[in-house]
Structure formats: C-alpha cells, structure tokens
C-alpha cells in the first residue's frame, strides 16, 4: 500500500507537469516536441496516480 507521502508527491507532480504542459502548449504549440513529451510523461504519471489512489 502506498504511503501518504507518495500519494501527496504524486499528486503534486501531476499538477506541476500539467502546468508545464499547458505552458508549453501555449508558448510552443500543441504539436511541438516539448509539449508532446510533457503530455506523454503526464499520461504515464496519471496512470501511476490512478493505480496509487485505487488501492
């Protein structure tokens, strides 16, 4: 079972990565490699988040 600290850190990381992706998309465009990479990383982190909070 994940610890409370892991849950809090994962949630904070999701929020940080989401903000970075939105900023990149606004500044560079949605098809920019940086925006796409951030989106892919966010997808992976959201999958981890879902697993952590479903237990």
């Amino acid at each position: 079972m994940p610890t409370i600290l892991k849950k809090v850190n994962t949630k904070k990381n999701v929020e940080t990565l989401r903000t970075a992706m939105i900023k990149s998309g606004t500044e560079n465009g949605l098809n920019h490699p940086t925006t796409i990479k951030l989106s892919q990383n966010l997808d992976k982190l959201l999958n981890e988040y879902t697993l952590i909070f479903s237990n």
Side-chain angles (χ1 to χ4, degrees):
M1 175 161 240
T3 65
I4 297 295
L5 185 57
K6 175 128 175 104
K7 288 181 177 184
V8 169
N9 284 338
T10 302
K11 185 173 182 182
K12 188 177 289 189
N13 290 340
V14 165
E15 293 168 0
T16 301
L17 195 51
R18 180 180 288 133
T19 300
M21 183 191 69
I22 291 169
K23 182 178 180 189
S24 178
T26 301
E27 293 175 357
N28 304 316
L30 298 178
N31 291 323
H32 191 275
T34 301
T35 306
I36 292 170
K37 187 65 177 172
L38 287 167
S39 176
Q40 291 170 340
N41 290 340
L42 181 59
D43 286 344
K44 289 176 188 174
L45 192 56
L46 286 170
N47 287 337
E48 181 181 331
Y49 178 89
T50 301
L51 286 174
I52 289 170
F53 281 87
S54 68
N55 293 328

